[in-house]
Every structure is written in structure tokens, then in C-alpha cells.
Amino acid sequence: MAGSDILGIGTSALLGYQQALQTTSNNISNANTPGYARERVDFATRPGTSTGDYYLGNGVQASGVQRIVSQFVNGQLTNATAANSRYQTYSQYANQVDNLLAKQSAGLQPALQSFYNAVQGVANAPASIPARQELLTQGGDLAGRFNTLYQQFNQIGAQVNARLSSDVNSINSLATQIASLNTQIVAASNNNPTGKPNSLLDQRDAVVNQLAKYVSVNTVSQSDGSINVTIGTGQALVVGSSVTRLGTAAVNGDPSRCLLYTSPSPPDPERYRTPSSACS
């Protein structure tokens, strides 16, 4: 009997560490898999056998497979991803505006300087026909430069609108993926209350990080395994399996400028004008 118990204890150790080796092999296999979180097998003592006055141990068993993740680090990564994307976008469009206005060869400053020089020339010699003609010429050039800048600023505005519409579509798609993963995670957790669907959790964290490339993100974990996602200043985007979709509409008074709104509520007609080809 003792020999059988000893063999059983040894077998429990072999089986437990066989699962640990399988998990280690899985970690190595997924070392370069984007979004994969390293896993670790947790062990627990098997229930003892009562001998009347005391209990004898029966070895070890695997009690679960734990993802090695830090919610704090994940939150910092999400915030850093959002900040990096925000500053890159700001830099991209700020550089375009800076090049239009401050460029020495074709910016606004050379045209203004030439116009002011012509004004000064007329002030110095009011009766000079060439000075007056130069002022008219420089005034026309300055007006043309302003018109050119206006067209170029409109082109940048169109780029921003197109970028906004594209990003809204991406945000809506990612939000739908998060809601779908929430549903799968809740179902898997209900079917196996003691274990966690690690691969689904990895996928959800990866999608949240992708979402942070478009907008600032905050997540709140729920007791059923799902997460609620808010964006911006606290607008709910995903609540469990429900998604609040985003849309774009033109601003009343400036149909060339697009702003965001949340659906299914229609845009406020006092603020937005729909439809608009600029925001399609």
C-alpha cells in the first residue's frame, strides 16, 4: 500500500511538471507572437488522505495556468501608445502649416516684406509712378499668396477630414472586436469557472493597444471577465458586449470642418450639418 502511495505521489509530480514543460514550450513557441503574454503553471498540494489521527499528503497537482501580466504596465503602455500617436499626428500637420507660413522661399513672410517695402517706397516718394506701380504689383502678389495659402489650408483640412473619417471606421471596428472578445471571454469563464481563457485575454489586450493608436483609452475590468472601455474624456465606447459607434458630421456654419458624434443618437442639428460630402 505504501509503495502504491509513493508511486502515486511520484506520478502526480511527473504529471504536474509535464504540464509545466508544456507551458514552457508554448512560451518559447510564442516568443515572437505579438500580444502574447508569458504563462506560468501554478501548483497546489493535492488533498491529503485521512488515516484516523492525521492526514497523509498525496503529492502535487497543477491548479491553473497564470498569465504573467501587470495591469499597471499595460495601462502605462496604452497611455504611452495614445500619447505617441497624438504627438506624431500633431507634428505631421503642424509641420505642414509651418512650411506654408515660415518657408523662406515661398512662405508668407517674403510676400509681406516685399509689400511693406513697396509701401515704404511710396511713402518716401508719393509722386513716383514706378513706386506706385511697384506697390500695386506687390499688393497683387500678396493677395495671390493669400489665395494660394487659403487653397493649401483647405487641402490640409480635407486631409484632416479624411483622416478623421478613416480613424472613426477603425475605432468602430476595433470596438466591435473588443465587444466580441468580451462575449467569448464571459462564455469561456462561465464554462470553466476555475480557469481563464488566456489566448482570448491576450487578443483583447492587443486590440485595446491598437485602439490606443487612434484615441486615448481607459479600461475597467468587470467581475464576469469583461472590460468596459472609455475613450477621450470618459465617453463609453464598449460596455460588455455593447458598442457605442462613432460618426462624423459637418459643423453648422463651416461645412468643410468635421466633428465626431456618437450613435445611435443622431447628430445635434444645432451643431452639426448632415449629410456632408466633406465628412463621408
Side-chain angles (χ1 to χ4, degrees), residues 9-93:
I9 291 173
T11 300
S12 73
L14 290 173
L15 292 175
Y17 282 96
Q18 183 182 38
Q19 295 181 36
L21 287 172
Q22 181 177 344
T23 302
T24 299
S25 176
N26 188 54
N27 288 335
I28 296 172
S29 299
N30 288 280
N32 296 317
T33 301
Y36 178 79
R38 185 170 62 87
E39 298 176 351
R40 178 192 67 203
V41 174
D42 293 331
F43 294 99
T45 302
R46 296 175 65 183
T49 300
S50 174
T51 62
D53 295 331
Y54 51 86
Y55 285 84
L56 287 175
N58 283 320
V60 68
Q61 63 183 2
S63 60
V65 179
Q66 184 76 24
R67 296 169 70 229
I68 309 301
V69 295
S70 168
Q71 294 305 321
F72 174 78
V73 172
N74 279 351
Q76 292 297 305
L77 175 61
T78 299
N79 292 338
T81 300
N84 179 65
S85 180
R86 178 169 65 252
Y87 292 134
Q88 282 189 346
T89 302
Y90 178 84
S91 176
Q92 174 188 347
Y93 292 110

Side-chain angles (χ1 to χ4, degrees), residues 49-181:
T49 300
S50 174
T51 62
D53 295 331
Y54 51 86
Y55 285 84
L56 287 175
N58 283 320
V60 68
Q61 63 183 2
S63 60
V65 179
Q66 184 76 24
R67 296 169 70 229
I68 309 301
V69 295
S70 168
Q71 294 305 321
F72 174 78
V73 172
N74 279 351
Q76 292 297 305
L77 175 61
T78 299
N79 292 338
T81 300
N84 179 65
S85 180
R86 178 169 65 252
Y87 292 134
Q88 282 189 346
T89 302
Y90 178 84
S91 176
Q92 174 188 347
Y93 292 110
N95 284 337
Q96 292 188 49
V97 173
D98 184 66
N99 289 335
L100 288 178
L101 298 179
K103 193 173 182 179
Q104 290 296 324
S105 60
L108 184 60
Q109 193 274 338
L112 282 172
Q113 188 62 52
S114 297
F115 176 75
Y116 290 144
N117 291 339
V119 171
Q120 187 63 46
V122 172
N124 293 334
S128 172
I129 299 302
R132 293 182 180 185
Q133 186 60 47
E134 178 66 13
L135 177 59
L136 292 175
T137 300
Q138 294 301 329
D141 290 345
L142 181 60
R145 183 57 187 156
F146 274 117
N147 288 331
T148 300
L149 287 174
Y150 174 76
Q151 295 173 1
Q152 291 173 324
F153 279 131
N154 281 342
Q155 292 176 2
I156 294 176
Q159 293 177 26
V160 172
N161 289 338
R163 173 76 174 269
L164 185 62
S165 298
S166 174
D167 286 356
V168 162
N169 291 333
S170 297
I171 290 170
N172 288 335
S173 175
L174 292 171
T176 301
Q177 293 181 50
I178 293 172
S180 175
L181 287 167

Side-chain angles (χ1 to χ4, degrees), residues 79 114 184 186 225 239:
N79 292 338
S114 297
Q184 297 176 58
V186 170
V239 178

